[in-house]
Amino acid sequence: MGTTGRFARTGTRAGVLAAGALLLAVGCSGGGDGDSGAAKDDPNLLRGFRSWLKTNDSERDDALAGHALHISLDYLPGDRDGVVKVLTDYGPWGEAEGQVGPLAEAFTEWWDEDPAAGSARILGQGGKTAKTLTLYDGDEPSNLADEFRSWTAKNSPGGARLAPHVTELTIGYGAKGAGAVTVATDYLTYKDKKTRQNLDALGKAFADWWDGDEGAGTVTVTSEDQGTRAVRKLTRP
């Protein structure tokens, strides 16, 4: 996947958040120079990975693509980098551990040591971890939660007060539509009027920071009781 293209954004997200290709320069170097262009154009991580499996010049089995159901990127403030979770249909029960090997190898090859995540968890049916992978262990890891908090504190009205309340940032990619971002906070309850105002402000800050990237279409900001404000659109028309 490489650090050029997919994360070629300028500013604080350089090497993390490419416009229109948030985790997707998907012409990962392992794919050769055959038909990988179709994957490069798709800002949905799951579709990009599936497309690469089907169009690259390697000997990967095209059938692997059908086993990947969902991909998400999880970031906790203060962690070194993010974690990719790849949900599959392998299983049930303990069988997944012995089945995920080829897909895990393909995913590592496709990711190509991009600094946006340091590790991946391949999940079997029911979401149980079947295999853990190292994706990047270099000197310049990226953490989108820290990037967003830092930007918000410096650039958003009231951001210095709001930013410390962000506890997690997750970007989920399914087979259809754009990715969806969830920003979790430690505000206790959505019923509190001030909390609702703060969630709204963080949603606006995130949309401003995201700046129309096509890698995700919406953001939802949650309180600890999972109350949410209206979903805010991210991708510009």
Side-chain angles (χ1 to χ4, degrees):
M1 195 178 283
T3 55
T4 59
R6 187 182 59 164
F7 298 116
R9 189 126 181 106
T10 58
T12 59
R13 284 186 289 174
V16 181
L17 202 49
L22 164 69
L23 291 168
L24 207 78
V26 175
C28 301
S29 60
D33 57 1
D35 297 322
S36 62
K40 290 182 183 179
D41 295 334
D42 194 334
N44 181 303
L45 266 187
L46 178 63
R47 290 199 304 252
F49 177 48
R50 286 176 165 180
S51 178
W52 177 80
L53 280 167
K54 294 178 180 179
T55 61
N56 71 53
D57 294 335
S58 74
E59 298 180 356
R60 299 293 179 188
D61 186 351
D62 291 357
L64 288 175
H67 291 287
L69 306 179
H70 189 269
I71 293 177
S72 67
L73 285 149
D74 293 353
Y75 297 93
L76 294 172
D79 282 3
R80 182 177 184 273
D81 44 30
V83 177
V84 179
K85 295 179 182 177
V86 182
L87 178 65
T88 73
D89 64 359
Y90 289 115
W93 303 106
E95 297 177 13
E97 288 86 343
Q99 298 171 337
V100 302
L103 186 142
E105 291 174 2
F107 190 84
T108 303
E109 181 181 349
W110 176 71
W111 192 263
D112 194 24
E113 296 188 346
D114 196 298
S119 62
R121 291 166 53 191
I122 310 299
L123 312 178
Q125 293 179 14
K128 182 179 179 180
T129 299
K131 191 174 185 64
T132 300
L133 314 170
T134 297
L135 296 178
Y136 176 81
D137 59 2
D139 295 333
E140 298 180 1
S142 299
N143 184 317
L144 288 188
D146 284 342
E147 296 282 352
F148 171 55
R149 291 173 105 194
S150 177
W151 184 93
T152 298
K154 295 176 182 177
N155 298 283
S156 184
R161 172 180 56 83
L162 296 168
H165 291 279
V166 173
T167 58
E168 187 171 3
L169 193 157
T170 301
I171 313 167
Y173 296 89
K176 298 181 180 179
V181 180
T182 300
V183 176
T185 73
D186 62 4
Y187 293 114
L188 293 178
T189 176
Y190 177 70
K191 293 180 180 180
D192 181 74
K193 181 179 179 180
K194 188 64 175 177
T195 292
R196 293 196 298 271
Q197 293 172 347
N198 290 335
L199 298 185
D200 271 344
L202 280 169
K204 183 180 185 306
F206 190 90
D208 291 342
W209 176 69
W210 196 261
D211 195 26
D213 286 353
E214 296 177 4
T218 59
V219 60
T220 299
V221 186
T222 68
S223 53
E224 287 196 352
D225 62 0
Q226 295 301 301
T228 62
R229 293 300 287 168
V231 175
R232 184 177 291 271
K233 292 183 178 180
L234 296 175
T235 306
R236 293 168 180 162

